[in-house]
């Protein structure tokens, strides 16, 4: 059985967060505005993408981010809800490509594509000498 046998075009997921001060560029970089940071948007897009296919991968397999091409279109202040949305648009032998968007209410604040590689966790740990230390809270 191939790890991607149960993954289908069109699968979707979203990840919703309320922007906190710890998610702002001003939190990470002095003298910058307290608005939703681009790296946080990328993180949340990646989380949505991973969620879209996680339940359809065989036991012991996960997806990992390997390519991100996104535009951050508008600033979002602390306290606003952001919805990161992801949809499977391409399935390759060892990776999946997603169309991704981020929304602040009715306003699109980001869009692009994201590719996730499919890895066998045990083989990955052996190859790179890393261990899965904890289960994600997301």
């Amino acid at each position: 059985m191939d790890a991607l046998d149960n993954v289908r075009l069109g699968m979707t997921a979203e990840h919703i967060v309320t922007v906190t001060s710890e998610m702002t560029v001003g939190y990470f970089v002095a003298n910058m505005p307290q608005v939703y940071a681009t790296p946080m948007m990328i993180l949340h897009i990646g989380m949505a993408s991973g969620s879209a296919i996680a339940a359809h991968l065989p036991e012991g397999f996960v997806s990992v981010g390997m390519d991100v091409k996104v535009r951050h279109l508008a600033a979002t202040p602390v306290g606003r809800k952001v919805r990161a949305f992801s949809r499977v648009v391409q399935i390759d032998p060892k990776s999946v490509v997603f169309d991704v968007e981020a929304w602040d209410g009715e306003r699109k604040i980001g869009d692009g594509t994201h590719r996730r590689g499919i890895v066998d966790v045990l083989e990955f740990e052996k190859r790179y000498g890393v261990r899965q230390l904890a289960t994600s809270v997301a």
Side-chain angles (χ1 to χ4, degrees), residues 23-98:
M23 294 177 189
T24 66
V25 67
Y27 179 81
F28 297 103
V29 181
N31 302 314
M32 292 296 287
Q34 293 287 312
V35 294
Y36 190 50
T38 303
M40 298 306 294
M41 183 181 74
I42 292 169
L43 170 67
H44 297 136
I45 283 169
M47 293 172 77
S49 299
S51 293
I53 62 172
H56 304 281
L57 298 176
E59 178 136 354
F61 283 79
V62 296
S63 67
V64 296
M66 56 188 293
D67 185 54
V68 180
K69 293 179 178 77
V70 297
R71 301 180 306 157
H72 197 162
L73 303 170
T76 301
V78 171
R80 295 292 304 243
K81 282 196 188 312
V82 169
R83 179 176 61 93
F85 176 80
S86 183
R87 179 173 40 89
V88 175
V89 295
Q90 183 179 331
I91 302 168
D92 295 330
K94 294 184 180 184
S95 66
V96 179
V97 179
F98 303 83

